Amino acid sequence: MTRPPRSHPLWLAFVLHRLSGLALALFLPAHFWVLSMALTQPQRLDSFLEFAENPMVKLAEFGLVFLLSVHIFGGLRLLALEFLPWSNKQKSLAAGAVGLSLFVSGTFFLQAI
Amino acid sequence: MEQAEQTHLEVTVRRGDADGGKDEVFRVPAHDNQTILDVVSWIQQYSDPTLTYRFACRVGMCGSCAMMVNGEPRWTCRTHVNKVLDGNKLHIAPLRNLPVIKDLAVDMDPFFDKWVEAEGKHHPTKTRDDPIEQINPESAERSEANAGIECINCSVCYAACDTVAGNPDYLGPAALQRAWTLFNDAKNEDKQTILDAVSGTSGCHNCHSMGSCTHYCPNDLNPMAAVAGLKRETAKSFFRRRKNA
Ligand code: HEM
Ligand code: SF4
Ligand code: SF4
Ligand code: FES
């Protein structure tokens, strides 16, 4: 079969939403597991938190915050598209969601380093 | 300009049937003004008379000539070669998401069957003996219905939709857009039947709003917006029913 039609802005927004959703689904269990150490193994949590001071880990956290944020704003765009009166500005709104997410995750990163 | 210097196009055509196929390359004389359908017709008339394809009107009215051109679904009679040429190469294949009959002709039955499945058919409010009902062309409802009436059933949107590719039962953008048009038509009765028909497992809630339908519709229609309208109305009707139950 021929290569499917792709790479227009809203299709890319769809892919970003799916990948970020899947990444979050993988990340959250790990996240809760680490948090649960506060109750079960406080020393191990402390050493993990020390490791998390590493700049490379901060950079990875920036990625995670971006994914979470882009999934939330992108998801809100989709909910608005589905449940509010139609707007023709979907491409701008999708771009806005990405921009807002970069702002949020960028701010987080500058705070963190 | 590049075009004027090329004397020939290198056209790869997907040949075959439901059991599979292979690519075949043809050299076709290049002209300044030439559509993809012209290229396919030239091959059939001067190179290989067994090439099978479908067209009727040649002016973008009948919706029978759609094919995959360089991987994208297009109405071939109104797609100029210059617009899609990749160097001097073209790749022409049968429309995606539909069974191939032979070469470039696909079986459109599944596409049309879904129009009926989505209740994309007229449910009259009156008989021939009643006086004709006056409709205000400016009303919001009528504008919403008008938005989709220029659909030519070409199946370009259906071929573009990844959700159809993933779920062969999904009704698809064109059938759902027709259902939405009729839902908004004051002369069409039985709105709930339409909402029920489009809210099942093959219905509008499969759509991920990726907008390939709207991106590729050659008539600049917006099936994505129509599907979103159905999502909204089916959700409303769901809560209305729960309240009344
Ligand atoms: C509160 C924030 C969130 C909002 C507003 C939100 C919204 C949405 C929406 C509207 C969809 C449907 C998209 C579509 O139709 O294609 C979706 C899909 C999805 N979400 Fe979320 N979501 C949120 C948080 C999360 C979290 C925390 C996870 C991870 C566990 C997650 C994982 C997913 C996955 C895997 C999908 C499927 C993606 C797809 O079908 O393409 N979401 N989300
Ligand atoms: S918006 Fe919906 S109907 Fe249109 S191509 Fe995407 S999934 Fe298919
Ligand atoms: S909505 Fe557009 S692309 Fe889809 S069948 Fe109608 S005219 Fe063709
Ligand atoms: S031949 Fe009728 S739309 Fe192309």
Side-chain angles (χ1 to χ4, degrees):
Chain A
M1 193 158 61
T2 39
R3 156 175 58 95
R6 273 169 191 185
S7 46
H8 54 89
L10 292 184
W11 189 82
L12 294 172
F14 160 75
V15 171
L16 188 59
H17 196 78
R18 176 155 292 185
L19 294 180
S20 60
L22 289 173
L24 289 174
L26 290 175
F27 161 71
L28 283 180
H31 186 58
F32 293 136
W33 177 67
V34 170
L35 288 183
S36 75
M37 286 180 189
L39 300 174
T40 54
Q41 304 159 283
Q43 302 83 354
R44 215 174 145 199
L45 178 66
D46 280 339
S47 64
F48 182 81
L49 290 179
E50 217 168 281
F51 161 72
E53 287 303 315
N54 193 320
M56 284 318 285
V57 180
K58 293 284 176 215
L59 197 65
E61 280 174 356
F62 160 75
L64 278 171
V65 174
F66 175 74
L67 289 178
L68 178 63
S69 158
V70 88
H71 191 87
I72 292 179
F73 293 125
L76 289 174
R77 174 184 74 87
L78 290 171
L79 291 173
L81 176 159
E82 290 178 4
F83 295 109
L84 298 180
W86 177 258
S87 156
N88 269 329
K89 292 186 293 233
Q90 293 306 327
K91 282 182 211 162
S92 312
L93 291 171
V98 174
L100 201 57
S101 307
L102 278 172
F103 175 74
V104 168
S105 49
T107 308
F108 164 85
F109 187 58
L110 294 178
Q111 293 279 330
I113 50 174
Chain B
M1 280 301 97
E2 209 180 300
Q3 179 65 36
E5 293 150 24
Q6 306 274 5
T7 56
H8 283 84
L9 307 171
E10 191 184 315
V11 184
T12 309
V13 180
R14 189 81 187 155
R15 304 291 302 270
D17 55 26
D19 298 326
K22 56 174 181 19
D23 282 343
E24 207 173 308
V25 183
F26 296 91
R27 262 168 68 82
V28 179
H31 297 289
D32 282 344
N33 244 323
Q34 190 175 25
T35 65
I36 300 296
L37 186 62
D38 293 335
V39 168
V40 174
S41 301
W42 188 93
I43 295 173
Q44 197 265 342
Q45 283 165 21
Y46 299 105
S47 185
D48 184 348
T50 67
L51 178 67
T52 305
Y53 64 110
R54 190 191 283 127
F55 75 98
C57 71
R58 296 179 295 123
V59 290
M61 301 291 288
C62 72
S64 62
C65 66
M67 299 167 200
M68 303 301 285
V69 181
N70 290 347
E72 297 178 301
R74 295 190 179 272
W75 53 359
T76 56
C77 70
R78 296 200 57 187
T79 302
H80 282 266
V81 167
N82 295 340
K83 197 178 144 189
V84 291
L85 206 57
D86 177 8
N88 74 331
K89 291 194 170 80
L90 282 174
H91 188 279
I92 304 177
L95 214 48
R96 183 177 174 236
N97 292 339
L98 287 165
V100 176
I101 297 175
K102 182 171 174 286
D103 299 340
L104 299 171
V106 291
D107 180 1
M108 309 257 305
D109 277 357
F111 175 72
F112 291 121
D113 289 346
K114 286 176 181 178
W115 284 57
V116 180
E117 227 181 287
E119 290 292 333
K121 53 189 177 190
H122 189 51
H123 314 81
T125 48
K126 296 199 184 332
T127 68
R128 63 172 67 239
D129 306 315
D130 295 312
I132 292 176
E133 185 181 348
Q134 294 300 308
I135 303 290
N136 174 5
E138 250 102 69
S139 72
E141 214 185 13
R142 191 58 232 171
S143 307
E144 197 64 60
N146 279 347
I149 55 176
E150 296 295 339
C151 174
I152 59 170
N153 315 358
C154 65
S155 202
V156 162
C157 54
Y158 189 85
C161 179
D162 286 349
T163 303
V164 174
N167 173 6
D169 291 333
Y170 175 45
L171 293 169
L176 290 171
Q177 175 174 254
R178 173 54 51 139
W180 177 240
T181 300
L182 287 167
F183 178 84
N184 287 295
D185 187 341
K187 292 191 177 178
N188 188 74
E189 203 173 50
D190 218 1
K191 314 266 185 211
Q192 193 59 47
T193 307
I194 296 179
L195 293 185
D196 289 343
V198 301
S199 55
T201 51
S202 55
C204 62
H205 296 281
N206 283 285
C207 164
H208 292 287
S209 308
M210 57 185 75
S212 296
C213 49
T214 299
H215 184 73
Y216 285 103
C217 174
N219 266 341
D220 285 335
L221 306 184
N222 194 347
M224 173 173 55
V227 178
L230 288 174
K231 287 177 180 170
R232 205 159 57 237
E233 291 304 325
T234 48
K236 268 196 214 158
S237 121
F238 174 77
F239 289 114
R240 225 177 10 244
R241 278 183 174 179
R242 296 211 21 171
K243 217 168 102 197
N244 299 338

